[in-house]
Amino acid sequence: MRKMGYLISINCVKLLITALLYTCVCSSSVEQKIYVELNQTVPCVRLLNATHQIGCQSSMSGDTGVLHVLETESDLDWILSSGPHPPYMVILETAFFNRSVMMRMKNSSRVSGVAVIISKTGLAHDFSPHTTCPNQNTGVYSERYGSDLANCNVTVWNPLGNGLSYEDFPFPVFALKDENQTQVIRKCYEDHNQRVNGSAPQYPLCAMQLFSHMHAATDTVTCMRRTDLQNRFGINPEVLCDPLSDFNVWTSSRALNISSKGHAVNESVVIAATRLDGRSFFWEQAPAAEGTVSGIITLLAAVHALYPVTQEAPPPRNIFFTFFQGEAFDYIGSSKMVYDMEKNDFVIDLNNVHSMLEIGQVGLRSGRSLWMHSDPVSRKNDDVNAEVLEMMTRMRSAAAGLNVSVAHPSFTQALPPSSLQRFLRAGLIPGLVLADHQTSFNNRYYESMYDDAENLQVTYPPDLSPDEQLVYETDAAKSLAEVATLVARSLYLQAGGENSSLSNITADPKIVAQLLYSFVIQKNNSWLRSLLPPEVTKKGVNSLLSSGPPQFYIGLGPRVHGPVHSVTRFVQYILANLTGTVTNLTENQCQDPSELSSENKDLFSYFWVSGPVSVNSSSEPLCVRASVRLSEAVSPAFELLEYGSRDYSTWTESRWKSIRARIFLVASRELEMLTLGVGVAVLLLSLLATYFISSKAELLFSSAHDTPTTAY
């Protein structure tokens, strides 16, 4: 009898294990039947600085709400006051993604999240989620320096800025990029949630769940302190936030020895600078066409135009080209370079700097004019003022014969947001910022996801293939080529070059066209692939050459992601190929030329690149030698451990574990409670039955015909 009971127990256990295994195997399919996962969603994430936090986040388990598409003002009233099924997950059309709507929802407890449909339909005439006075607290103007110019008192540079990117939202905000899934969401809403004749919809209702819980909170000081404590005392330490960081890219017309730090003897340099980064409301959605790309392309094309002339007829002064990362977040890259110069930890110091020309937003010229902005405070010094006036004269001379004119704003106007301001904080340096705006920005979409190719007015004839578009000289490309020629000639004159050589300095419109296509249309193209290392051009290796234009958000750089950010890598390799020399080194020699007496790693970097594609569609990798370098772009505040610094950028990005979104049907509260009640009742009955069977097992499983067997 005991043997039979034992066998029954074994069979029950086997049955239970089989049932559990079946449940595990089928659980994913059951989940797929319940939920529709949404792809290509982009979150708004949490950022922190010395004083506060901005951005968005969900609760730890995600936030859920009944879907409601916001199409009219009455829809917003329904969501915020009269709708009977709060909390709501609001689906926004582009036209309603503005400060007024978002702030009303922020101040309501009836909204659990927002999803914004990314499209050009209904796009407002202007949309800038940045502030009206970018980087106002970390520039040069303050109570100690040009106090009457501080806080954009004279010129409001970004009057269209609504400040949304600097708000702290208590719920998740996602962007929906997949048009097909947007239609699925609409269908779900129309079938289940849409009001009929103003009456409330009936259950089941379509709901959405957004997951974007952020680990960091309060401010950078708090977050870094908690991270440091976990690293010291935690068994499994967890990083809560990371400093925004990457690399600056720089080169010079005459190679500088990087083994020497501090003051370079007998070296006078003219700095030519622009920014590498941009941002928007949503994470890593920063096309930055006018705000950033126009300056990058102009300076790259100017470098290319200058290179042969500076090698044949070197000017007395060295030209130092630099691309700064993190400038959108309180000048991370430029403040780090200035900091290194001040403590003699860079190849040159501030005493080597003769003057500086910075390229700002130059892609939306009004007519033919460009504007030379200068600092009125430093120009009160006679020597600085004389040099600035000379710079302006040289630039006017360089503009002769070009389809572009230059002018300067009122002497009383401050500098626009620019890296030059960080250099002026360290000393009186003559400098100009070249831009397409006299006062406020021409850019209607400054630091937004809509500052794209369309904003830069880059258009192509409809019948062109991608390879034909790559080399097609659009009006925007021709315009930027003119600006690049102006910049190149001005830099040559500023470096002490002769007027007689100016006719040999002309930017190549084809190069500008290729740069423009690569940066605002499609980075995965034959030209850019030929300039990059073979390992990053292979499919499936990484996302460096994914479809579409690159994004210019600085991110967390090598400290978290390992490889250099894509934009930094692109500019580094483009610059190397435009100014470098092809060598006959093998791949191993190129990657480590230290053993070769003919090569000098202190003067040059070596790049193993894919090379141009031949007629048979194959490429032959080659080694390029160039004086292109990277330098850290991380705020000195994190080196000094001054997380509450008021002098340097303190921006960090929160860590997170899961970013995802899904939709599903939800039952009424009454039905949910009824289902729960029935489930609890079944559980209790099961427990009671199990207890009864277990307690009466001998009686239930015994047989009256069994005769006991006894062994003697």
Side-chain angles (χ1 to χ4, degrees):
M1 175 61 212
R2 290 180 180 176
K3 184 176 181 181
M4 183 181 294
Y6 176 75
L7 290 174
I8 292 173
S9 299
I10 290 294
N11 289 332
C12 288
V13 170
K14 288 181 177 179
L15 183 62
L16 179 60
I17 293 174
T18 303
L20 288 173
L21 288 174
Y22 179 78
T23 302
C24 291
V25 170
C26 295
S27 62
S28 60
S29 62
V30 171
E31 183 179 3
Q32 290 171 6
K33 290 178 181 179
I34 297 174
Y35 300 104
V36 176
E37 296 289 336
L38 302 176
N39 301 320
Q40 296 190 41
T41 58
V42 184
C44 155
V45 303
R46 173 164 289 169
L47 299 169
L48 311 97
N49 66 7
T51 57
H52 61 289
Q53 65 185 27
I54 62 174
C56 323
Q57 77 152 357
S58 73
S59 60
M60 290 190 68
S61 57
D63 288 340
T64 303
V66 173
L67 275 181
H68 197 92
V69 178
L70 181 58
E71 296 176 311
T72 64
E73 288 292 337
S74 63
D75 287 326
L76 185 58
D77 294 333
W78 170 272
I79 292 166
L80 301 182
S81 58
S82 57
H85 308 303
Y88 285 99
M89 192 66 67
V90 183
I91 309 299
L92 280 183
E93 292 286 354
T94 304
F96 287 95
F97 185 48
N98 55 55
R99 183 176 182 82
S100 173
V101 172
M102 290 298 294
M103 293 306 291
R104 286 185 64 186
M105 291 192 292
K106 175 184 175 179
N107 298 324
S108 170
S109 60
R110 292 169 58 87
V111 174
S112 60
V114 174
V116 182
I117 298 173
I118 302 300
S119 72
K120 293 291 185 178
T121 306
L123 179 61
H125 180 69
D126 51 70
F127 177 77
S128 173
H130 209 281
T131 60
T132 57
C133 189
N135 291 358
Q136 69 183 92
N137 297 317
T138 48
V140 69
Y141 302 110
S142 64
E143 293 180 359
R144 299 174 306 223
Y145 188 102
S147 58
D148 55 324
L149 303 174
N151 301 314
C152 298
N153 285 337
V154 175
T155 305
V156 178
W157 296 108
N158 187 37
L160 301 175
N162 58 35
L164 269 183
S165 290
Y166 288 83
E167 290 291 338
D168 182 29
F169 291 95
F171 48 70
V173 182
F174 278 48
L176 305 176
K177 298 178 64 180
D178 190 319
E179 219 172 280
N180 292 330
Q181 291 202 332
T182 299
Q183 294 303 317
V184 171
I185 295 171
R186 283 188 175 279
K187 184 72 165 57
C188 188
Y189 168 75
E190 291 168 358
D191 290 347
H192 299 278
N193 295 16
Q194 198 162 32
R195 288 179 288 167
V196 179
N197 299 323
S199 61
Q202 300 299 311
Y203 286 100
L205 297 174
C206 190
M208 177 181 280
Q209 190 172 26
L210 301 179
F211 298 86
S212 63
H213 179 67
M214 302 285 131
H215 295 338
T218 309
D219 52 40
T220 291
V221 178
T222 304
C223 179
M224 296 301 289
R225 183 181 69 244
R226 290 173 178 171
T227 297
D228 290 343
L229 286 173
Q230 288 218 35
N231 289 336
R232 290 179 188 177
F233 305 112
I235 298 175
N236 295 308
E238 184 177 12
V239 176
L240 303 178
C241 61
D242 301 278
L244 297 180
S245 62
D246 203 278
F247 287 95
N248 300 322
V249 184
W250 62 269
T251 187
S252 52
S253 58
R254 203 163 44 241
L256 294 169
N257 192 326
I258 63 167
S259 62
S260 301
K261 303 292 184 182
H263 186 71
V265 181
N266 299 323
E267 193 75 74
S268 177
V269 302
V270 175
I271 294 180
T274 194
R275 60 187 278 183
L276 270 180
D277 70 307
R279 66 165 301 192
S280 77
F281 183 85
F282 295 103
W283 182 66
E284 291 198 333
Q285 291 299 298
E290 159 71 347
T292 299
V293 173
S294 63
I296 293 176
I297 292 175
T298 297
L299 192 53
L300 285 173
V303 173
H304 179 250
L306 272 170
Y307 180 73
V309 178
T310 54
Q311 305 310 302
E312 294 175 10
R317 299 186 188 94
N318 203 348
I319 306 176
F320 183 91
F321 305 96
T322 180
F323 299 79
F324 291 122
Q325 262 286 13
E327 298 302 273
F329 291 94
D330 295 334
Y331 308 116
I332 293 173
S334 56
S335 62
K336 172 61 173 172
M337 185 174 285
V338 171
Y339 174 77
D340 288 342
M341 287 182 178
E342 288 180 312
K343 66 188 187 91
N344 295 323
D345 197 22
F346 198 65
V347 292
I348 57 174
D349 67 7
L350 291 170
N351 292 325
N352 290 122
V353 179
H354 172 267
S355 53
M356 181 171 175
L357 174 62
E358 182 172 352
I359 317 304
Q361 302 179 73
V362 292
L364 296 176
R365 283 196 286 148
S366 178
R368 297 170 53 198
S369 296
L370 286 173
W371 296 89
M372 302 175 290
H373 297 267
S374 62
D375 171 43
V377 179
S378 61
R379 288 182 63 184
K380 292 177 182 178
N381 178 287
D382 292 339
D383 292 337
V384 172
N385 185 53
E387 186 56 47
V388 169
L389 291 174
E390 279 294 316
M391 289 182 73
M392 291 181 178
T393 300
R394 294 184 185 109
M395 187 163 283
R396 290 191 189 94
S397 175
L402 298 177
N403 187 30
V404 58
S405 62
V406 290
H408 62 86
S410 166
F411 182 80
T412 59
Q413 182 172 282
L415 280 172
S418 53
S419 306
L420 175 57
Q421 293 198 31
R422 291 303 304 194
F423 282 82
L424 287 171
R425 285 182 61 144
L428 298 180
I429 296 174
L432 294 177
V433 176
L434 189 66
D436 57 21
H437 53 90
Q438 179 182 4
T439 54
S440 58
F441 298 156
N442 291 336
N443 190 357
R444 298 176 293 116
Y445 302 110
Y446 181 72
E447 302 288 39
S448 86
M449 56 193 166
Y450 301 118
D451 185 11
D452 54 14
E454 187 174 324
N455 185 40
L456 208 55
Q457 300 170 15
V458 178
T459 57
Y460 298 92
D463 56 339
L464 295 184
S465 67
D467 285 338
E468 290 171 332
Q469 289 181 347
L470 176 62
V471 296
Y472 182 80
E473 296 175 16
T474 62
D475 291 340
K478 293 174 184 176
S479 175
L480 288 176
E482 290 278 339
V483 179
T485 300
L486 169 68
V487 169
R489 292 179 179 181
S490 299
L491 288 170
Y492 189 71
L493 292 177
Q494 187 64 15
E498 299 294 332
N499 275 290
S500 57
S501 298
L502 291 188
S503 59
N504 298 325
I505 302 174
T506 304
D508 185 351
K510 181 181 177 182
I511 289 291
V512 175
Q514 291 172 318
L515 288 168
L516 196 57
Y517 182 84
S518 300
F519 281 128
V520 302
I521 302 295
Q522 178 58 263
K523 58 182 176 289
N524 191 358
N525 62 71
S526 58
W527 180 70
L528 194 52
R529 285 197 299 271
S530 71
L531 309 183
L532 294 172
E535 65 267 17
V536 305
T537 62
K538 296 175 182 177
K539 293 181 179 179
V541 176
N542 53 42
S543 59
L544 197 64
L545 285 176
S546 57
S547 180
Q551 299 299 323
F552 292 82
Y553 173 69
I554 178 177
L556 306 180
R559 296 190 171 208
V560 176
H561 296 150
V564 177
H565 190 277
S566 62
V567 173
T568 306
R569 179 73 67 90
F570 292 157
V571 171
Q572 178 192 19
Y573 274 81
I574 290 171
L575 201 55
N577 281 272
L578 293 181
T579 62
T581 304
V582 176
T583 69
N584 58 0
L585 301 182
T586 65
E587 182 176 1
N588 290 334
Q589 291 173 331
C590 190
Q591 292 172 349
D592 184 19
S594 55
E595 301 298 323
L596 302 175
S597 58
S598 59
E599 305 301 331
N600 190 336
K601 288 191 71 175
D602 290 335
L603 289 178
F604 302 103
S605 296
Y606 297 82
F607 302 87
W608 187 251
V609 302
S610 298
V613 177
S614 60
V615 179
N616 61 359
S617 299
S618 63
S619 59
E620 189 68 34
L622 46 89
C623 185
V624 174
R625 180 202 303 121
S627 58
V628 177
R629 302 287 183 177
L630 299 177
S631 65
E632 265 198 334
V634 58
S635 172
F638 298 100
E639 184 173 323
L640 298 168
L641 304 182
E642 296 177 358
Y643 305 134
S645 173
R646 302 301 173 124
D647 294 322
Y648 297 109
S649 171
T650 54
W651 286 107
T652 55
E653 181 186 279
S654 174
R655 289 273 183 108
W656 62 80
K657 286 186 177 177
S658 177
I659 298 289
R660 59 196 180 100
R662 61 189 185 181
I663 61 172
F664 56 96
L665 292 181
V666 62
S668 67
R669 188 72 175 172
E670 292 76 12
L671 181 58
E672 288 178 341
M673 295 307 296
L674 177 61
T675 304
L676 177 62
V678 171
V680 171
V682 170
L683 174 63
L684 294 175
L685 286 173
S686 300
L687 292 174
L688 185 61
T690 303
Y691 172 76
F692 176 77
I693 293 172
S694 177
S695 62
K696 303 296 183 180
E698 292 187 5
L699 179 62
L700 293 173
F701 299 110
S702 63
S703 173
H705 302 286
D706 288 346
T707 56
T709 58
T710 305
Y712 294 96

